[in-house]
Amino acid sequence: VILAFLLPDTYIRQRQIGRERAFRDEMPEIVDMFELGATVDVPLEDVFLLSAESAEKKEVKKELAKLSAEYFITKDKEGCLKKFCENVSLPEVNVLSMALLQGERTGRTLEILSSLSSSLFNTAIAKITREDKMTEYKALGVLFVLMVSIVMLYMFPYFTNLEGGLRSIF
């Protein structure tokens, strides 16, 4: 009964974590796509569509396609980006939407997207470096366990004789 009660919540939480991870993994490419679109003055609806087509993960592709379709129909950039931010709820997405909205007012979309892109790539590089270090530590842990087990196998005959000798003495 307890398992049946907790299983749906656990499943939903795992799906939510997977979805956030998918967006975090693909955000540098998405921001680069928007930056390239801003550089060559591609219409925003085409940039939305291109970013949806270039996405690899299903969740990301679906959400970007929904954003693209909604913007194509309504042409309300602020409303579409607001819904996109509510659906995804990541800080990177909020910054991306603010950059796109501020571009109309200040004309500095390209600079904001460029700094966001470099920040996301630096974060990705730091994450890869951290995972690389963790892999080294895990390998050292496995080697230590193997070393201890080999020593125990080698010393096992001595411990059985020692135990018998100690029993006869005490």
Side-chain angles (χ1 to χ4, degrees):
V1 173
I2 294 172
L3 184 64
F5 181 72
L6 295 176
L7 193 63
D9 289 335
T10 306
Y11 176 73
I12 290 171
R13 181 69 183 144
Q14 290 301 319
R15 294 281 295 189
Q16 182 181 14
I17 290 171
R19 186 171 191 261
E20 287 177 3
R21 186 176 301 127
F23 270 97
R24 284 192 197 276
D25 290 345
E26 291 204 29
M27 275 309 290
E29 289 85 10
I30 293 169
V31 171
D32 278 347
M33 189 72 67
F34 280 99
E35 183 182 7
L36 289 171
T39 304
V40 295
D41 291 330
V42 175
L44 193 58
E45 61 191 28
D46 292 338
V47 175
F48 286 151
L49 187 60
L50 287 172
S51 62
E53 289 175 357
S54 68
E56 294 177 9
K57 307 263 171 77
K58 181 177 72 170
E59 299 91 357
V60 178
K61 187 178 288 250
K62 180 180 175 185
E63 196 64 43
L64 287 171
K66 186 166 59 170
L67 172 67
S68 174
E70 187 173 343
Y71 183 72
F72 183 75
I73 292 172
T74 64
K75 300 292 186 203
D76 179 25
K77 185 188 327 185
E78 188 172 345
C80 294
L81 289 173
K82 184 177 179 182
K83 286 181 184 177
F84 182 63
C85 289
E86 289 173 0
N87 291 341
V88 177
S89 69
L90 286 177
E92 296 90 352
V93 173
N94 291 334
V95 173
L96 175 65
S97 68
M98 284 189 293
L100 293 173
L101 291 174
Q102 289 238 324
E104 292 178 350
R105 297 179 189 125
T106 63
R108 299 180 55 155
T109 305
L110 186 59
E111 294 151 0
I112 296 171
L113 288 174
S114 176
S115 65
L116 178 62
S117 176
S118 64
S119 171
L120 287 174
F121 274 110
N122 288 338
T123 303
I125 289 171
K127 180 181 174 185
I128 290 170
T129 305
R130 191 172 45 243
E131 288 176 358
D132 187 38
K133 287 288 183 190
M134 288 303 295
T135 303
E136 291 175 8
Y137 291 133
K138 288 176 184 176
L140 283 175
V142 169
L143 287 175
F144 177 75
V145 169
L146 287 173
M147 183 184 69
V148 167
S149 63
I150 289 171
V151 168
M152 291 301 291
L153 286 173
Y154 181 71
M155 297 300 237
F156 179 73
Y158 297 115
F159 287 127
T160 57
N161 292 339
L162 180 65
E163 182 183 348
L166 289 176
R167 280 191 187 162
S168 64
I169 293 174
F170 295 109

